Amino acid sequence: MSTGEASASTHTDESALPAVDVVGVRKTYAGTDALTGVDLQIRRGEFFTMLGPSGSGKTTLLRIIAGFVAADAGHIRLSGKDVTREPPYARNVNTVFQDYALFPHMSVHENVEYGLRVKRVPRAERRRRAQTALEMVRLPDHGERKPAQLSGGQRQRVALARAIANEPEVLLLDEPLGALDLKLRQEMQLELKRIQREVGITFVFVTHDQEEALTMSDRLAVMNRGRIEQLGSPHEVYEHPANEFVAGFIGVSNLLERDGSRFTIRPEKVVLGDPSAPVPAGFHAELGRISDVIYLGSVTRYVIALESGETLIALRQNQETLAASDPLAPEVSVRASWRPEQTFTINQSEA
Ligand code: ADP
Ligand code: MG
């Protein structure tokens, strides 16, 4: 990697550069460390997610990339160009917020064309790009309506069309689906993925919902207390959590300690069986007692008190068993087993 100003060379091949390069970014608000030194490279054309609990610094980082907030230290480069001191309008990015702030007195077309009008794009070209964007979000016939004549999901699509019509290099989305109910939200997750594939714009998506992050992202950064705890594909982050925070935040994980070493094992990897039956080859087995059975429809969750004194959660798909005839009832002794290669040793997070 080149250092400093050298990377701004006009002879660099732009497509090889990261779409967004965050270098040593720090931000403190009146004693609160919102970002404690973030380095991050987002690739061109990827669906990238920043995932973390409330207050972990996601919005702050997004706003610094957009230029709405100035970092105390560090740099932002977009396709190799240092924009740290550029105002938002001089950066080729657009932001979609949760409260999508459409102009109520303007039609859908006028709303979608708004950014293009500000940039003095000629009227015919403006209308064409707005219409293409509305088709992209599947609202081709809604251009004449006012925002009040649309549902919440449709308004969010219009906000998305407005951003896409500007043809930014990077689209920043701050919990854009947060206000929608679950079913609509799941629909929009798939829609967003499709739109991102079709337009090929780099998406930087912010959410606190781990399932949303796992379904949508090419890669994700798990954030906590103003820093990135882990960066990787959904598969890497889920299967190989880097530390205790990530293991606990992404899905449910069992945390166990044997011989001074700590590891996680996912509930769906734990196999439950009769203590007297032979241990399957390649499995590590321990004895315990079922303390709780929670029937969840497609799966059943078992809480097991291990002989070690630890608690283990196991998850089993309800393929044919009826909950009523399940021999694994509370108080029953069980053998819990798992493949050692499916455990993951974790580093302890510094507290
Ligand atoms: P997230 O989007 O992950 O919920 P934020 O980036 O909004 O997190 O906030 C990170 C931290 O910075 C929080 O502790 C928050 O209270 C603080 N913070 C964010 N914006 C401001 C602000 N404008 N003034 C003071 N503190 C802020
Ligand atoms: Mg936020």
Side-chain angles (χ1 to χ4, degrees):
M1 204 56 236
S2 55
T3 52
E5 312 318 314
S7 64
S9 156
T10 51
H11 299 293
T12 318
D13 175 13
E14 276 207 1
S15 62
L17 293 166
V20 181
D21 194 2
V22 176
V23 189
V25 164
R26 294 176 187 279
K27 179 74 187 175
T28 301
Y29 287 111
T32 309
D33 290 328
L35 295 172
T36 61
V38 171
D39 292 284
L40 171 63
Q41 297 196 328
I42 298 169
R43 298 169 189 153
R44 176 172 306 276
E46 87 177 325
F47 197 119
F48 189 89
T49 298
M50 297 199 276
L51 170 69
S54 176
S56 57
K58 307 180 296 293
T59 294
T60 302
L61 183 52
L62 213 64
R63 288 177 158 271
I64 288 172
I65 295 170
F68 298 124
V69 168
D72 297 338
H75 290 267
I76 301 294
R77 295 192 193 112
L78 299 175
S79 295
K81 180 176 181 253
D82 194 319
V83 297
T84 312
R85 291 176 202 293
E86 301 278 357
Y89 60 80
R91 304 182 185 199
N92 198 4
V93 304
N94 263 120
T95 310
V96 176
F97 302 99
Q98 186 185 116
D99 45 351
Y100 17 82
L102 300 175
F103 296 112
H105 58 287
M106 289 185 192
S107 70
V108 166
H109 259 142
E110 288 165 342
N111 266 286
V112 175
E113 285 178 24
Y114 184 78
L116 302 175
R117 216 170 76 201
V118 171
K119 286 193 219 156
R120 302 187 186 283
V121 174
R123 188 182 163 78
E125 162 83 1
R126 232 158 60 199
R127 191 43 66 103
R128 191 188 58 72
R129 275 163 68 174
Q131 187 57 30
T132 304
L134 285 172
E135 277 161 20
M136 187 70 75
V137 301
R138 304 222 160 116
L139 289 175
D141 306 321
H142 293 63
E144 297 315 310
R145 295 210 196 171
K146 293 281 168 60
Q149 296 168 303
L150 301 173
S151 69
Q154 289 173 331
R155 283 201 284 270
Q156 185 56 293
R157 283 164 196 259
V158 173
L160 197 60
R162 179 175 58 183
I164 290 171
N166 287 324
E167 297 171 0
E169 249 175 90
V170 179
L171 192 57
L172 307 171
L173 303 107
D174 195 353
E175 313 227 13
L177 310 181
L180 307 178
D181 64 48
L182 182 65
K183 192 160 173 296
L184 192 54
R185 191 172 162 141
Q186 288 169 338
E187 256 173 60
M188 281 298 289
Q189 289 171 2
L190 298 177
E191 284 282 288
L192 269 179
K193 273 296 275 186
R194 173 188 61 81
I195 291 166
Q196 193 266 341
R197 273 195 307 267
E198 286 178 19
V199 298
I201 297 172
T202 307
F203 274 35
V204 184
F205 184 85
V206 161
T207 183
H208 63 269
D209 182 323
Q210 46 111 357
E211 204 178 298
E212 191 162 282
L214 293 177
T215 24
M216 300 184 74
S217 323
D218 294 320
R219 290 191 308 150
L220 61 143
V222 183
M223 295 191 59
N224 179 35
R225 302 218 221 131
R227 61 167 184 235
I228 294 174
E229 297 272 0
Q230 189 171 4
L231 183 74
S233 68
H235 184 266
E236 283 162 354
V237 169
Y238 184 82
E239 296 289 341
H240 304 296
N243 57 42
E244 200 170 327
F245 174 81
V246 177
F249 192 71
I250 311 275
V252 177
S253 208
N254 293 295
L255 180 65
L256 300 174
E257 187 170 337
R258 295 285 174 277
D259 310 318
S261 133
R262 285 147 72 84
F263 61 90
T264 63
I265 177 82
R266 294 286 182 190
E268 68 273 20
K269 314 281 195 208
V270 175
V271 179
L272 299 179
D274 193 311
S276 59
V279 177
F283 278 76
H284 164 85
E286 297 195 7
L287 294 174
R289 194 179 43 75
I290 294 183
S291 60
D292 218 343
V293 177
I294 302 136
Y295 178 69
L296 297 167
S298 62
V299 292
T300 299
R301 184 191 300 147
Y302 301 91
V303 183
I304 297 136
L306 289 175
E307 282 189 342
S308 66
E310 292 159 309
T311 299
L312 184 74
I313 311 274
L315 210 58
R316 215 162 64 156
Q317 289 230 321
N318 294 324
Q319 276 157 336
E320 56 229 24
T321 44
L322 287 168
S325 64
D326 189 350
L328 298 174
E331 299 305 322
V332 167
S333 292
V334 282
R335 193 182 52 220
S337 47
W338 56 81
R339 292 180 177 278
E341 62 269 26
Q342 289 185 324
T343 64
F344 198 70
T345 306
I346 60 170
N347 312 316
Q348 320 213 359
S349 304
E350 321 86 87

